[in-house]
Amino acid sequence: MHYSFAPQTKNYASSAVRDILKVTQQGHVISFAGGLPAEDIFPIEQVKIAYEKVFASGNSSLQYGLTEGFVPLRDAIKAKMADRGISSTVDNILVTTGSQQAIDLFSRIMLTPGDVILTEDPTYLAALQVFRSYGANVISVSSDEDGMLPEDLKEKLETWSPKFVYVIPTFANPDGKVWSDERRRKLLSLCQENNVLILEDDPYGDIQFHPEEQYCPVASFDYDHRHVIYTSTFSKSVVPALRTGWVTGPSEVINMMVQAKQMNDLHSSSIDQQALYYLLRDFNLASHIDLIRSVYYERMTIMRDYLNKLGPDLFKWKEPKGGMFIWVEGNEHLNTTALLNQAVEKGVAFVPGAPFYVNEPKNNTFRLNFSHSTPETIELGMDRLISVLLKPEVVK
Amino acid sequence: MHYSFAPQTKNYASSAVRDILKVTQQGHVISFAGGLPAEDIFPIEQVKIAYEKVFASGNSSLQYGLTEGFVPLRDAIKAKMADRGISSTVDNILVTTGSQQAIDLFSRIMLTPGDVILTEDPTYLAALQVFRSYGANVISVSSDEDGMLPEDLKEKLETWSPKFVYVIPTFANPDGKVWSDERRRKLLSLCQENNVLILEDDPYGDIQFHPEEQYCPVASFDYDHRHVIYTSTFSKSVVPALRTGWVTGPSEVINMMVQAKQMNDLHSSSIDQQALYYLLRDFNLASHIDLIRSVYYERMTIMRDYLNKLGPDLFKWKEPKGGMFIWVEGNEHLNTTALLNQAVEKGVAFVPGAPFYVNEPKNNTFRLNFSHSTPETIELGMDRLISVLLKPEVVK
């Protein structure tokens, strides 16, 4: 029997994220590869209590629910959005199975093969995989450390008439970049002038190390709510296993995404949605996020101090202002995909940078995750990694 | 701002199932419309205990999981498949957010606009919506009460070279039909001869009223595991809020679906998957299914006895052998979509049959759900419905 899959399956990339998750489930390798939050500070007791409240609320809590999501949870998300300067209504919030599903559903309702999408380069590889699975032509916009360069963005908006621009303006994956306020506003005004939508992916916004700085989502500047589709998740601020994210934007777009979600899975787990509602209602999430910030900051500084030992000449990297990752660039001869095998032999893993690139990949880059490992494990893993990175064939 | 959605969104039907779920959440109308299981017998105490076991297992239970699903749960599903005569391995089982997601992911990896799918007529409307959302051309095969007619199936397989044949052979939605063993085998052999896949949707197979009869899934005859993709769910036998279904079939197909699911939502809620595993391990699900069978049978007989009052001339229907629905056909002048408004005014709802049809709809049909309402509510609702059905303009 020959299986004639749809032609677009040829665009399915080998599943880098999934393979990474598999590696991290093996015990002996210290993994700086995945984007996993710190397990040791999960608020498991509070999560447990929240589920108890769901079951105490009676049998109807176990029935089918609405495609749009549990109404009281959407109301709580509306309040969270207001804290981020984004005004929304219960009706233009859709609860999704992680923000990954929001990226997928939005792509599903927007894209036909050959459509153009503009992104940063490098950017989130699982988003690239989604866009390409719908046959999109992904084109990157030149950036500096403050975000996309307005001139190049303007030219590409006019040349390509893209379906949308995909951005992660706060603690980007993989490179941890934070856009300046000015570039965020410029992105929006250029997209408004060209009638192009923006998909703003903000999974890490809560995890900032310098509370005195303020990073306003692009969506917070979109006063008439016409141009920005904003998605975020509780996977990083509460726990990933809940798989609960959300998306908000123009009601025409959200309504179409609701129809797509109905066909996709009818609705996300409503037990989890109800538990999350009780958690947001009764648990001090803000103080838990403060804990995450301080723990992640400490872990980042440990990793940073090890990287400093490499000296400024051989490896380039920037201290991240938040999020979960440090992005490192080695000398031009370095191939981090080949290096990964040596590292795994030594008992440590990272993600080679190549799959995050839209265009010609920089094979001398890699991403380190500092959130998942304890300080002791980071020290042990960085010792191993440094010994690999300082081998003669790497530093030549 | 004009939103230029992808062309395939034009195939998105108005969301009949979703609208039905919305109606059922209003208090005053007795709804025989949705496909909701009986809430009053949900094993909520056992579900609660299962979640407690998840949290007792430690913080790692709240971390990201595998796209394929929680391994011990897949192992338990393998055992359940063996009970149904289907041999599978942990590696060719994918856990999904309800069987709806299995239908969607399979369609996603198989279909391009213009591809042909063969189905029964009428059939599950949310599956029709999925197929059409991918631009498929759905063609119906003639059936009698035993299943698809082999002659017509053969001709259409040869004429159309369809991508797959979609069937619900046991207690079909909407008409409750059960295929004969012979027709199941004939479907498989014709598809084998023509190298065509079968998508077997079996959400209701557990809910059978005559335990002395045996209904073997088509997949159980597919000894070399090459032609049948089989999907089922725990939404009907445990609780819907878990949103946990699964799919098994040829490993090439399942592997491609795993890649699609990774892009779609990374993985389904792993808290729910772990809870379901403990539930299957420690709870007597077989005896709970026996309870469901006896409760649903009682409810069906109450509804049946009311329908009998209508007499055999005006309305035609068959006593179902399982599942959740009775399918009724009125006289040729009846328009059940118009009738629904009158019924809702009287405080009772059903689903008009039209959206379940592939071809020219029979507007004189409707579907009644007997599982969700208690006996007392069924009596009250059927009193209301009978009074609407026996109005002069309906029975003329």
Side-chain angles (χ1 to χ4, degrees):
Chain A
M1 176 76 193
H2 166 74
Y3 301 103
S4 61
F5 296 115
Q8 64 270 21
T9 59
K10 294 200 181 71
N11 299 318
Y12 289 15
S14 82
S15 314
V17 166
R18 185 160 55 93
D19 294 345
I20 292 161
L21 287 174
K22 279 188 177 169
V23 166
T24 61
Q25 297 210 341
Q26 293 167 5
H28 64 288
V29 176
I30 293 176
S31 179
F32 302 137
L36 305 186
E39 237 163 83
D40 46 321
I41 56 167
F42 281 163
I44 190 165
E45 198 53 40
Q46 297 298 326
V47 170
K48 182 184 157 195
I49 292 169
Y51 278 84
E52 285 168 1
K53 287 173 187 164
V54 176
F55 303 123
S57 76
N59 283 21
S60 64
S61 62
L62 305 184
Q63 191 52 276
Y64 281 108
L66 297 175
T67 302
E68 293 86 340
F70 185 55
V71 173
L73 175 62
R74 284 188 281 150
D75 211 44
I77 290 171
K78 189 181 92 172
K80 197 172 169 62
M81 290 288 78
D83 290 344
R84 294 184 186 173
I86 301 167
S87 76
S88 58
T89 68
V90 165
D91 289 335
N92 71 353
I93 292 169
L94 169 63
V95 178
T96 54
T97 305
S99 49
Q100 183 71 34
Q101 192 184 36
I103 295 170
D104 186 54
L105 292 175
F106 180 63
S107 301
R108 178 172 179 160
I109 65 161
M110 296 307 297
L111 297 176
T112 30
D115 281 347
V116 167
I117 293 169
L118 302 184
T119 69
E120 299 167 90
D121 190 18
T123 190
Y124 177 46
L125 67 90
L128 290 177
Q129 287 176 354
V130 170
F131 303 150
R132 287 173 173 153
S133 81
Y134 289 100
N137 180 13
V138 181
I139 291 180
S140 71
V141 177
S142 303
S143 298
D144 61 16
E145 61 183 12
D146 291 326
M148 286 181 176
L149 296 174
E151 301 69 29
D152 194 49
L153 175 61
K154 184 170 187 294
E155 188 199 315
K156 284 176 174 154
L157 284 169
E158 287 165 2
T159 308
W160 292 102
S161 299
K163 264 302 174 76
F164 57 87
V165 182
Y166 171 75
V167 288
I168 314 169
T170 309
F171 319 131
N173 183 359
D175 63 2
K177 186 184 290 182
V178 181
W179 286 38
S180 69
D181 223 61
E182 190 197 330
R183 289 287 175 81
R184 292 170 194 241
R185 289 176 187 272
K186 193 69 190 170
L187 167 72
L188 179 63
S189 65
L190 285 171
C191 285
Q192 285 171 334
E193 284 161 26
N194 287 277
N195 276 319
V196 170
L197 291 172
I198 297 164
L199 175 57
E200 180 175 26
D201 188 8
D202 188 21
Y204 310 108
D206 276 333
I207 311 170
Q208 65 176 95
F209 298 151
H210 305 287
E212 72 284 5
E213 296 192 9
Q214 209 190 348
Y215 316 117
C216 299
V218 178
S220 70
F221 303 127
D222 185 30
Y223 305 117
D224 61 353
H225 309 297
R226 305 301 294 158
H227 290 85
V228 184
I229 287 83
Y230 175 92
T231 180
S232 188
T233 178
F234 292 101
S235 294
K236 275 70 180 179
S237 56
V238 187
V239 299
L242 279 168
R243 303 295 304 122
T244 305
W246 74 91
V247 58
T248 183
S251 43
E252 295 96 321
V253 175
I254 298 299
N255 289 345
M256 193 63 90
M257 289 176 73
V258 170
Q259 288 202 44
K261 182 167 169 66
Q262 191 197 358
M263 293 185 286
N264 184 197
D265 63 12
L266 206 51
H267 64 81
S268 298
S269 163
S270 46
I271 298 180
D272 296 350
Q273 290 183 55
Q274 292 168 80
L276 188 54
Y277 160 69
Y278 290 116
L279 202 71
L280 294 174
R281 192 189 67 177
D282 302 335
F283 172 55
N284 192 337
L285 184 61
S287 107
H288 182 66
I289 289 172
D290 282 343
L291 173 69
I292 293 175
R293 288 170 176 174
S294 66
V295 168
Y296 288 15
Y297 181 73
E298 186 206 358
R299 294 177 183 191
M300 183 275 289
T301 57
I302 297 170
M303 194 171 265
R304 174 197 68 191
D305 293 347
Y306 272 88
L307 288 172
N308 274 332
K309 293 183 191 173
L310 292 169
D313 296 334
L314 296 170
F315 294 90
K316 293 193 183 72
W317 53 278
K318 275 190 175 295
E319 178 174 323
K321 293 182 166 185
M324 296 182 161
F325 306 113
I326 301 181
W327 180 248
V328 186
E329 186 171 337
N331 73 58
E332 60 186 310
H333 306 292
L334 183 66
N335 183 319
T336 56
T337 307
L339 192 73
L340 178 60
N341 290 322
Q342 299 173 41
V344 169
E345 268 174 38
K346 290 269 185 187
V348 63
F350 55 80
V351 194
F356 295 94
Y357 281 92
V358 177
N359 298 324
E360 194 64 34
K362 285 193 176 179
N363 291 313
N364 56 337
T365 56
F366 61 95
R367 192 191 72 177
L368 295 173
N369 167 268
F370 52 77
S371 58
H372 182 242
S373 307
T374 60
E376 299 69 35
T377 313
I378 292 177
E379 288 173 4
L380 186 57
M382 288 304 290
D383 269 333
R384 294 176 183 173
L385 183 63
I386 296 287
S387 76
V388 175
L389 290 177
L390 290 182
K391 277 172 75 170
E393 62 266 35
V394 173
V395 299
K396 74 184 167 193
Chain B
M1 175 78 194
H2 166 73
Y3 301 102
S4 60
F5 296 115
Q8 63 270 23
T9 58
K10 294 201 180 69
N11 299 318
Y12 288 15
S14 82
S15 317
V17 166
R18 184 161 55 94
D19 293 346
I20 291 160
L21 287 173
K22 279 190 176 168
V23 167
T24 61
Q25 296 211 342
Q26 292 168 5
H28 64 287
V29 176
I30 293 174
S31 179
F32 302 137
L36 305 186
E39 237 163 83
D40 46 321
I41 57 168
F42 281 161
I44 189 164
E45 198 54 39
Q46 298 297 327
V47 171
K48 182 185 156 193
I49 292 168
Y51 278 84
E52 285 168 1
K53 288 173 186 163
V54 177
F55 303 124
S57 76
N59 283 21
S60 64
S61 63
L62 305 185
Q63 191 53 277
Y64 280 108
L66 297 174
T67 302
E68 294 86 339
F70 185 55
V71 173
L73 175 62
R74 284 187 280 151
D75 209 45
I77 290 171
K78 189 181 91 172
K80 197 171 168 65
M81 290 287 78
D83 289 344
R84 294 184 186 173
I86 301 168
S87 77
S88 57
T89 68
V90 165
D91 289 334
N92 72 352
I93 291 170
L94 168 64
V95 178
T96 53
T97 305
S99 48
Q100 183 71 34
Q101 192 185 35
I103 295 170
D104 186 53
L105 292 175
F106 180 64
S107 301
R108 179 172 178 162
I109 65 162
M110 296 307 298
L111 297 177
T112 29
D115 281 346
V116 168
I117 294 168
L118 301 184
T119 70
E120 300 169 88
D121 190 18
T123 192
Y124 177 44
L125 66 91
L128 290 177
Q129 287 176 354
V130 170
F131 304 149
R132 288 173 173 154
S133 80
Y134 289 100
N137 181 12
V138 181
I139 291 179
S140 71
V141 177
S142 302
S143 299
D144 62 16
E145 61 185 12
D146 291 325
M148 285 180 176
L149 296 173
E151 300 70 27
D152 194 49
L153 175 60
K154 185 171 188 294
E155 188 197 317
K156 284 179 173 152
L157 284 169
E158 288 164 2
T159 308
W160 292 103
S161 301
K163 265 302 173 80
F164 57 88
V165 183
Y166 171 76
V167 289
I168 314 169
T170 309
F171 320 131
N173 183 1
D175 63 2
K177 186 183 290 182
V178 181
W179 286 39
S180 70
D181 224 59
E182 191 197 331
R183 290 288 175 81
R184 292 169 193 243
R185 290 176 187 273
K186 193 69 191 168
L187 167 71
L188 179 63
S189 65
L190 284 171
C191 285
Q192 284 169 335
E193 285 162 25
N194 289 276
N195 275 320
V196 170
L197 292 172
I198 296 164
L199 175 57
E200 179 174 26
D201 188 9
D202 188 21
Y204 310 108
D206 276 333
I207 312 169
Q208 66 175 94
F209 299 149
H210 305 288
E212 72 283 4
E213 297 193 8
Q214 209 190 347
Y215 317 118
C216 299
V218 178
S220 69
F221 303 126
D222 185 30
Y223 305 117
D224 62 353
H225 310 297
R226 304 300 297 156
H227 289 86
V228 184
I229 287 83
Y230 175 92
T231 179
S232 188
T233 177
F234 293 101
S235 294
K236 276 68 179 180
S237 56
V238 186
V239 298
L242 279 169
R243 303 298 301 122
T244 306
W246 74 91
V247 57
T248 184
S251 44
E252 296 96 320
V253 175
I254 298 298
N255 289 345
M256 194 63 90
M257 289 176 74
V258 170
Q259 289 203 43
K261 181 166 169 68
Q262 191 198 356
M263 292 185 286
N264 185 195
D265 63 11
L266 207 50
H267 64 81
S268 298
S269 163
S270 47
I271 299 180
D272 296 351
Q273 290 183 55
Q274 293 170 80
L276 188 54
Y277 160 69
Y278 290 116
L279 201 72
L280 294 174
R281 190 190 69 177
D282 301 335
F283 172 56
N284 191 336
L285 185 61
S287 109
H288 181 67
I289 289 171
D290 282 343
L291 173 68
I292 293 175
R293 288 170 175 173
S294 67
V295 167
Y296 287 15
Y297 181 73
E298 186 205 358
R299 293 177 184 192
M300 182 276 287
T301 57
I302 296 170
M303 195 171 264
R304 172 196 72 190
D305 293 347
Y306 271 88
L307 288 172
N308 275 332
K309 292 182 191 174
L310 292 169
D313 297 334
L314 296 171
F315 294 90
K316 294 192 183 69
W317 54 277
K318 276 192 176 292
E319 179 174 324
K321 293 180 165 185
M324 296 182 161
F325 305 113
I326 301 180
W327 179 248
V328 186
E329 184 172 340
N331 73 60
E332 58 184 309
H333 305 293
L334 184 65
N335 182 319
T336 56
T337 306
L339 193 72
L340 178 60
N341 289 322
Q342 298 172 42
V344 169
E345 267 175 37
K346 289 268 185 188
V348 62
F350 55 80
V351 195
F356 295 94
Y357 281 92
V358 176
N359 298 324
E360 193 65 32
K362 285 192 176 180
N363 290 314
N364 56 338
T365 56
F366 60 97
R367 190 191 75 176
L368 294 173
N369 166 268
F370 52 77
S371 58
H372 182 241
S373 307
T374 60
E376 300 70 34
T377 312
I378 292 177
E379 289 173 2
L380 186 58
M382 289 304 289
D383 268 334
R384 294 176 184 174
L385 182 64
I386 296 286
S387 77
V388 174
L389 290 176
L390 291 180
K391 277 172 77 171
E393 61 266 37
V394 174
V395 300
K396 73 182 170 193

